[in-house]
Amino acid sequence: MELKKILETQSEASWKKYIPTLSIDCVIFGFYETSLQVLTVKMKDQEAWALPGGYVQKDENVDDAAIRILKDRTGTENVYLQQFYTFGNLKRSESAFEAYDDSIWNKQRFVSIGYYALADFSKVNLIIDKYSTACEWHSIDNLPSFMMDHRTIFDKALLTLREQLNHHPIGYNLLPEKFTMPELQKLYEIILGKKLNRGNFYRKILRYDILTKLDESRKGGAHKAPDLYSFDLEKYNNALKEGLKGSW
Amino acid sequence: MELKKILETQSEASWKKYIPTLSIDCVIFGFYETSLQVLTVKMKDQEAWALPGGYVQKDENVDDAAIRILKDRTGTENVYLQQFYTFGNLKRSESAFEAYDDSIWNKQRFVSIGYYALADFSKVNLIIDKYSTACEWHSIDNLPSFMMDHRTIFDKALLTLREQLNHHPIGYNLLPEKFTMPELQKLYEIILGKKLNRGNFYRKILRYDILTKLDESRKGGAHKAPDLYSFDLEKYNNALKEGLKGSW
């Protein structure tokens, strides 16, 4: 079915199924090797990339809609998912639509609730649905052009990670279960947007007493095999309740 | 005009004027003497109190709607106002409405965007409009019963202040221009929900180098007149950009 036809058929069904005005956009982060990645989709007939998104069903909590959208796009559940901001500028869609039209679902004015997700990179399936032509990870160091205000939504999500780093289990949810100290430092550097002194970082993170040093090291590579660590989840969660002391 | 009539007349006008589904609720904080206060209203025909709120006009940014609502309720502009969370539970209105009805403005399902405001207590006018019977400050230590999920909205706003204390100019916006050190400490204690050691607090806040000690002291009272301080706004804003170092 061609896209125009799909959209017309969908419009009527959408008015019945979803509450109007509201959309959800998801900023799905994953950590791969030493790079923070974000999941992007390309919609049919669009040049620019988009964040994965969707609508809220009439009989559904907004949070549950976000969980459903995330699952539809990545095939994963039980992912750390947090609402972070709602985007309601009148002209957020200006480049995508000539004018708002209250009678056509896709042309109404949407206010979008932003959620960020911290996904396990290795477990995410990239699902291309009938409205899209591509679904890919992009390194946040090398982002493509986004449609509408999706770049603004992404920037706000990253800023939120930065502000919440001492209060939310961000490291735990982005890193694999076992990780090296350089990997943890790299993740902190990316989120904070600055280089950290290696010695200071090690001392500080160890003083928090939230890591367990494992009896194994990372095999392979020419250098001495680096030690592996994991989070002590109970101590980590307790420390986050108060907020990790100090800044980076 | 009786309330029922007002609501019927309003319903048709509201569908024309506002975007559906969305409301705004404002948690307006003010600091009075040594107590943090929140502005509450009582709607006609309601027992419980409510947060001041309103809707978003079709040709209006969501942020501008919040500014307008705040001005209508308090008569003040240029108030520090921040969106903090959007409340979208299906049953957030269960106690207020028997069932949602898409055809009546006031009975549709609303998703509400929460904004907190840091107001200058002495400059706020308490404005009672035609939908309400009272508009009052309440100390956050002694809150009344709230309608719908407004208590949840309040709790989230206070938690947000706590998390943002090192990144946003919260002290500056809640305190009068000139304040004493015990007043500043009290404000921090209320927001953080715990007592702070006086000596540690003084040392820490002075080390930030964000305060100016004034050549005057607070007159009146039996004790030695306490020194007055004000924020050095340039230094304060610079420090907040990085985040104040350390926790309280």
Side-chain angles (χ1 to χ4, degrees):
Chain A
M1 201 162 20
E2 61 160 326
L3 186 64
K4 187 163 172 286
K5 201 84 184 171
I6 292 177
L7 293 177
E8 275 170 17
T9 313
Q10 201 214 6
S11 180
E12 206 179 328
S14 294
W15 287 111
K16 279 192 191 132
K17 189 170 180 183
Y18 302 114
I19 51 177
T21 305
L22 270 188
S23 59
I24 287 178
D25 283 305
C26 295
V27 183
I28 305 169
F29 291 104
F31 195 61
Y32 178 64
E33 293 186 342
T34 55
S35 147
L36 191 59
Q37 310 263 332
V38 64
L39 196 65
T40 56
V41 297
K42 192 171 260 190
M43 310 305 287
K44 282 182 177 166
D45 286 358
Q46 292 283 343
E47 282 291 311
W49 291 81
L51 298 168
Y55 308 113
V56 181
Q57 292 171 10
K58 286 187 179 175
D59 59 352
E60 182 181 48
N61 294 325
V62 169
D63 282 349
D64 293 329
I67 292 168
R68 175 179 51 77
I69 291 163
L70 187 67
K71 190 184 172 192
D72 286 352
R73 185 58 71 180
T74 65
T76 57
E77 290 178 282
N78 300 318
V79 167
Y80 190 80
L81 184 68
Q82 291 271 312
Q83 188 204 113
F84 66 93
Y85 203 77
T86 295
F87 299 84
N89 272 358
L90 188 58
K91 295 190 175 169
R92 57 181 295 266
S93 310
E94 197 174 36
S95 59
F97 301 114
E98 286 132 45
Y100 293 123
D101 182 340
D102 279 358
S103 65
I104 300 166
W105 178 263
N106 282 43
K107 294 210 167 189
Q108 64 178 309
R109 174 182 169 190
F110 281 108
V111 170
S112 197
I113 307 178
Y115 281 78
Y116 75 78
L118 307 179
D120 185 336
F121 188 89
S122 64
K123 291 189 183 147
V124 168
N125 299 311
L126 305 180
I127 298 170
I128 299 171
D129 65 14
K130 63 180 174 182
Y131 307 112
S132 53
T133 58
C135 179
E136 289 176 16
W137 291 104
H138 276 98
S139 164
I140 71 162
D141 297 327
N142 188 20
L143 289 175
S145 287
F146 281 115
M147 60 184 283
M148 293 173 65
D149 61 350
H150 287 199
R151 177 66 201 228
T152 303
I153 296 176
F154 166 81
D155 287 341
K156 181 76 177 174
L158 186 60
L159 187 67
T160 304
L161 287 196
R162 188 173 299 171
E163 287 196 8
Q164 295 186 344
L165 196 54
N166 284 353
H167 287 274
H168 293 248
I170 291 167
Y172 173 76
N173 282 288
L174 279 174
L175 288 167
E177 195 194 334
K178 301 168 183 182
F179 50 86
T180 66
M181 212 53 124
E183 287 166 351
L184 182 61
Q185 181 177 344
K186 186 69 189 170
L187 177 62
Y188 270 67
E189 288 180 341
I190 292 170
I191 291 174
L192 294 168
K194 63 181 180 190
K195 293 288 284 179
L196 300 172
N197 176 279
R198 182 176 171 279
N200 288 346
F201 179 80
Y202 279 38
R203 264 192 300 281
K204 192 153 185 186
I205 201 87
L206 290 176
R207 203 164 48 212
Y208 289 145
D209 189 26
I210 55 175
L211 298 181
T212 305
K213 190 172 172 179
L214 303 174
D215 281 336
E216 42 184 324
S217 54
R218 176 74 50 81
K219 301 295 187 321
H223 301 284
K224 181 179 171 295
D227 294 320
L228 285 171
Y229 293 82
S230 67
F231 282 100
D232 180 323
L233 204 50
E234 196 183 331
K235 287 180 179 172
Y236 185 46
N237 283 333
N238 278 335
L240 291 172
K241 260 182 228 162
E242 274 283 301
L244 296 182
K245 316 260 176 218
S247 65
W248 297 96
Chain B
M1 199 161 19
E2 62 163 322
L3 185 65
K4 187 162 169 287
K5 201 84 185 169
I6 292 176
L7 292 178
E8 275 170 17
T9 313
Q10 201 214 7
S11 179
E12 206 180 328
S14 295
W15 287 112
K16 279 194 191 132
K17 189 170 181 183
Y18 302 115
I19 51 176
T21 306
L22 270 187
S23 60
I24 286 178
D25 283 304
C26 295
V27 182
I28 305 168
F29 291 103
F31 195 61
Y32 177 63
E33 293 185 343
T34 56
S35 148
L36 190 60
Q37 311 261 331
V38 64
L39 196 65
T40 57
V41 296
K42 194 171 260 191
M43 309 305 287
K44 282 181 178 167
D45 285 357
Q46 292 283 343
E47 282 291 310
W49 291 81
L51 298 168
Y55 307 112
V56 181
Q57 292 170 11
K58 286 185 179 177
D59 60 351
E60 183 181 49
N61 294 324
V62 168
D63 282 350
D64 292 330
I67 292 168
R68 174 179 52 76
I69 290 163
L70 186 68
K71 189 184 173 192
D72 287 351
R73 186 57 71 179
T74 65
T76 57
E77 288 178 284
N78 301 317
V79 166
Y80 189 80
L81 184 68
Q82 291 273 310
Q83 188 204 114
F84 66 94
Y85 204 77
T86 295
F87 299 85
N89 272 356
L90 190 58
K91 295 190 174 171
R92 56 180 296 265
S93 311
E94 196 173 36
S95 60
F97 301 113
E98 285 132 47
Y100 294 124
D101 181 341
D102 279 358
S103 66
I104 300 167
W105 178 263
N106 281 45
K107 295 209 167 190
Q108 64 179 308
R109 175 181 168 189
F110 282 108
V111 170
S112 198
I113 306 178
Y115 281 79
Y116 75 77
L118 306 179
D120 185 336
F121 188 90
S122 65
K123 290 187 183 149
V124 168
N125 299 312
L126 306 180
I127 299 170
I128 299 171
D129 65 15
K130 62 182 172 180
Y131 308 111
S132 54
T133 58
C135 180
E136 290 177 15
W137 290 104
H138 276 98
S139 165
I140 71 161
D141 298 327
N142 188 21
L143 288 175
S145 288
F146 280 115
M147 60 185 283
M148 293 173 62
D149 61 349
H150 287 200
R151 176 65 200 229
T152 303
I153 297 176
F154 166 80
D155 288 341
K156 182 76 177 174
L158 186 59
L159 187 67
T160 303
L161 287 196
R162 189 173 299 171
E163 288 196 8
Q164 295 185 344
L165 197 53
N166 284 353
H167 287 273
H168 293 249
I170 290 167
Y172 173 77
N173 282 288
L174 279 173
L175 288 167
E177 195 194 333
K178 301 169 184 183
F179 51 86
T180 66
M181 211 51 123
E183 286 166 351
L184 182 61
Q185 181 177 344
K186 185 70 189 171
L187 176 63
Y188 269 66
E189 288 180 340
I190 292 170
I191 291 174
L192 294 168
K194 63 181 181 190
K195 292 288 284 180
L196 299 172
N197 176 280
R198 182 175 171 281
N200 288 346
F201 179 80
Y202 279 38
R203 264 191 301 280
K204 191 152 184 188
I205 201 89
L206 290 175
R207 203 165 47 211
Y208 288 145
D209 190 27
I210 56 175
L211 299 180
T212 305
K213 190 172 172 179
L214 304 174
D215 281 337
E216 44 183 322
S217 54
R218 176 74 51 79
K219 300 296 187 322
H223 301 282
K224 180 177 172 295
D227 293 321
L228 285 172
Y229 293 83
S230 67
F231 282 99
D232 180 324
L233 204 49
E234 197 183 330
K235 288 181 179 173
Y236 185 47
N237 284 333
N238 278 336
L240 290 173
K241 260 183 229 163
E242 275 282 300
L244 296 181
K245 314 263 175 214
S247 66
W248 296 98

